[in-house]
Amino acid sequence: MRDLQNQVIYVVDDDQGILDSFDAMLGDDYPVVMFNSGTKALDVLQEKTPTLLFLDIKMPGINGIELLKSIHEKGMCTKVVIVTALPQDSYEQMARQYGVYKYLKKPLDVDEVEGITRNVLH
């Protein structure tokens, strides 16, 4: 089992309800930092790279695909899980092009989110 002390999970979504859901699912067991915009997350990513990043696609400003592309181009060592309600397969193809770890469609399955988190952080 890995030491969780130096690991952190970022959740980036402009929907406060989704952020609250992630806090309820993971907040008691893992260090979770929430961002309501891609721009805010990108600023922090310059200083601290999370072990795991749950990322929405459709957000104002920097969207999830743009943020994923930036992470990929900078060679950041983080597992990115796209979390989206968008049905287009083209987004999934773009995400895979930039090295996404998993691609989840909303509504979220709690067991799946917890399982991904356990697999990445332990």
Side-chain angles (χ1 to χ4, degrees), residues 62-78:
I62 296 173
N63 70 39
I65 295 295
E66 293 167 333
L67 187 57
L68 177 62
K69 180 181 178 186
S70 179
I71 290 167
H72 177 76
E73 289 174 347
K74 293 177 184 193
M76 294 180 181
C77 187
T78 189

Side-chain angles (χ1 to χ4, degrees), residues 71-118:
I71 290 167
H72 177 76
E73 289 174 347
K74 293 177 184 193
M76 294 180 181
C77 187
T78 189
K79 302 283 187 195
V80 178
V81 177
I82 294 290
V83 179
T84 186
L86 296 174
Q88 294 91 339
D89 289 338
S90 61
Y91 288 115
E92 185 169 359
Q93 292 169 357
M94 282 188 276
R96 296 208 184 282
Q97 174 185 343
Y98 296 120
V100 72
Y101 178 69
K102 296 277 185 187
Y103 192 94
L104 303 179
K105 293 188 180 171
K106 296 175 186 174
L108 297 173
D109 178 294
V110 174
D111 292 333
E112 188 170 24
V113 170
E114 290 174 347
I116 289 168
T117 303
R118 272 192 309 276

Side-chain angles (χ1 to χ4, degrees), residues 3-4 10 18 23 35 37 49 67 69 93 105:
D3 178 14
L4 293 178
Y10 288 175
I18 298 295
D23 187 39
F35 298 94
S37 80
T49 302
L67 187 57
K69 180 181 178 186
Q93 292 169 357
K105 293 188 180 171

